[in-house]
Amino acid sequence: MIDHRRLGRDLELFVSDPLAGAGLPIWLPAGAAARHAVEEYVRELERRAGYRHVYSPPLGRRELFERSGHLGWFADDMFPPMRLSADDEFVLRPALCPHHALVFAARGRSYRELPLRVAELGGMYRAERSGVLGGLSRVRAISLNDAHNFCAPEQVGDEVREILRLIREAHAALGVRPAGFRLSVRGPGQRYVGDDAGWARAEDLLRTALDGVDAVEAPGEAAFYGPKIDVQIVDAAGRESTISTVQLDFDKPERFDLSYTDSDGSRKRPVMVHRSLVGSMERLFAYLIEVHQGAFPPWYAPVQVLLLPTGDAQADAARRLCREAEAAGLRAEVDESGSLGARVRDAARRRIPYVGVLGAREVADGSVSLRLRDGRGLDPMPRADALRLVGAVVASRSADLLPPA
Ligand SMILES: [Zn+2]
């Protein structure tokens, strides 16, 4: 299995430049195209599941992170505050929860609005030591698929089960194969907020929500504010890490004094459920690059169709078909330089799922010959049919290269 750093370089997905800084990779056009497709998919999945998306800045006043507890409990993992003036200090956020608590607090809330699911693919920062950084798997600037679901206490069990269902759906579409589920609970020698009874109740809630899922209990792996369910993956080097997570938090609603009006008119405290379906874009892609060895499912392949005219006389037809493919919503390119054999080999090296060859015969009868990434070749077919075929596979988000017969 080839390491994602080497594939990332060979396929021009991302670059790490010492001048920009360790753990601060730059996504190149091919990597950005794949990531964009994945981000759109996740946003759509969340939208259909009742999430509301917001934008919030990756930087905030020091007081916000004192209120959230991050500066008290988590300061070692954060960049030092930046002083703008004597009474104004700013912090690069290590998590999105404080801003999302302020979304909940933006106005009075009723029990009818719950669960209120606030989602954002947002930036956050961790002051990782330079020795542990590498490629996309450990970075200092993190783009997290995040959400905070504010629930009435009695809704938490169903909400966690629904989140686990969404996690499984997203994994199936992306080709993520989890190594296992982990119930991360309190452990000795760690600091935690809240009382024992609250922790025991929260841990029981998660145990119940797991409901038949085989999970390993991991003492000491809980967040400082609550227990969590983590979905683990293993990378090419055999290192285990968390890709998806569901965390219960009774502490931040308290700190931000969050409340809603219940059906009897009384004020109640919501529970905050932190969840990420697919983790950060960086760690997700480090994993996807390795697990697919760069051959992404067609729906998020950087270039889906590469068109190869056999000679100069076919170049115009290839460019025309490329524009038609783009108009149909596909990512397409034309490669005109060099021998046909060399261009076919280069397409294979780039793991492009579909190569369309246009020779004199194809141009004369308005057809194209498709070759699939796995070596199969299809008989020449009308150009519109070829675009429909690729479009159908992309729309299905299947990993197969042909639609079901
Ligand atoms: Zn959070």
Side-chain angles (χ1 to χ4, degrees):
M1 188 143 133
I2 305 170
D3 181 83
H4 84 274
R5 283 170 295 190
R6 207 185 108 198
L7 284 165
R9 196 165 49 239
D10 293 351
L11 300 174
E12 295 184 60
L13 299 174
F14 66 92
V15 67
S16 300
D17 192 311
L19 184 59
L24 297 165
I26 300 161
W27 295 69
L28 298 172
R35 171 173 160 177
H36 195 136
V38 168
E39 288 187 4
E40 274 186 346
Y41 160 70
V42 172
R43 203 170 284 130
E44 179 68 11
L45 177 68
E46 289 172 339
R47 203 182 58 74
R48 288 171 191 272
Y51 285 77
R52 298 285 175 268
H53 291 94
V54 298
Y55 290 110
S56 59
L59 183 75
R61 282 181 69 219
R62 179 190 185 105
E63 287 76 1
L64 177 61
F65 301 94
E66 278 167 355
R67 174 77 71 88
S68 69
H70 284 97
L71 276 169
W73 293 82
F74 203 68
D76 288 352
D77 294 302
M78 296 168 62
F79 283 93
M82 290 169 271
R83 178 173 296 249
L84 207 59
S85 65
D87 53 1
D88 229 1
E89 279 192 278
F90 288 88
V91 166
L92 281 172
R93 68 179 171 192
L96 279 67
C97 352
H99 283 101
H100 290 186
L102 298 183
V103 171
F104 185 91
R107 62 167 169 78
R109 299 290 179 183
S110 151
Y111 70 97
R112 288 192 196 85
E113 295 178 78
L114 305 185
L116 183 76
R117 306 179 178 99
V118 178
E120 180 172 5
L121 201 143
M124 58 184 227
Y125 298 84
R126 297 274 164 99
E128 303 273 8
R129 306 292 148 225
S130 53
V132 302
L133 301 170
L136 294 177
S137 48
R138 282 288 276 277
V139 293
R140 287 169 165 158
I142 298 162
S143 316
L144 188 66
N145 157 245
D146 203 5
H148 296 89
N149 303 9
F150 299 88
C151 306
E154 62 276 13
Q155 294 173 326
V156 172
D158 283 346
E159 191 63 12
V160 172
R161 270 187 291 277
E162 171 63 7
I163 292 166
L164 292 174
R165 190 190 68 73
L166 287 172
I167 287 174
R168 278 189 282 262
E169 186 174 339
H171 286 179
L174 291 161
V176 173
R177 296 166 210 138
F181 283 63
R182 192 173 80 176
L183 178 60
S184 299
V185 297
R186 286 164 300 171
Q190 311 264 349
R191 296 162 70 219
Y192 301 102
V193 293
D195 57 48
D196 279 353
W199 272 84
R201 204 170 56 238
E203 289 169 4
D204 271 347
L205 255 171
L206 290 184
R207 245 176 236 118
T208 312
L210 273 167
D211 188 22
V213 177
D214 214 10
V216 180
E217 292 217 5
E221 294 292 337
F224 69 85
Y225 47 75
K228 54 191 180 125
I229 295 170
D230 292 323
V231 186
Q232 301 298 104
I233 48 168
V234 174
D235 72 7
R239 280 179 307 240
E240 187 178 319
S241 60
T242 298
I243 189 149
S244 313
T245 189
V246 191
Q247 316 184 354
L248 297 192
D249 188 348
F250 299 89
D251 178 54
K252 269 176 214 72
E254 201 78 38
R255 288 172 180 273
F256 285 92
D257 193 25
L258 303 181
S259 67
Y260 61 93
T261 308
D262 208 352
S263 53
D264 61 2
S266 63
R267 267 167 50 101
K268 295 263 176 67
R269 185 89 61 218
V271 178
M272 191 176 191
V273 181
H274 310 242
R275 55 104 278 202
S276 180
L277 301 181
V278 294
S280 72
M281 288 300 115
E282 290 78 17
R283 184 173 287 172
L284 175 66
F285 268 91
Y287 173 81
L288 293 176
I289 292 167
E290 288 181 358
V291 84
H292 296 298
Q293 289 291 287
F296 297 134
W299 70 270
Y300 64 95
V303 174
Q304 294 160 326
V305 188
L306 185 71
L307 296 165
L308 306 182
T310 53
D312 289 344
Q314 291 78 41
D316 276 344
R319 280 182 230 128
R320 210 160 41 241
L321 182 53
C322 183
R323 280 196 299 276
E324 285 166 19
E326 286 169 337
L330 300 172
R331 291 183 290 277
E333 277 180 12
V334 180
D335 184 359
E336 302 176 31
S337 57
S339 76
L340 184 64
R343 286 180 283 154
V344 167
R345 280 194 299 280
D346 195 54
R349 182 193 66 78
R350 294 170 67 194
R351 277 75 159 172
I352 294 173
Y354 304 95
V355 171
V357 179
L358 289 120
R361 187 171 60 121
E362 282 86 358
V363 171
D365 65 9
S367 68
V368 61
S369 298
L370 282 187
R371 292 163 182 245
L372 311 187
R373 180 170 61 196
D374 61 12
R376 283 179 288 176
L378 306 183
D379 292 335
M381 66 178 85
R383 294 152 61 136
D385 288 1
L387 295 185
R388 253 197 304 279
L389 181 150
V390 177
V393 173
V394 167
S396 72
R397 297 206 179 87
S398 162
D400 296 331
L401 298 174
L402 289 175

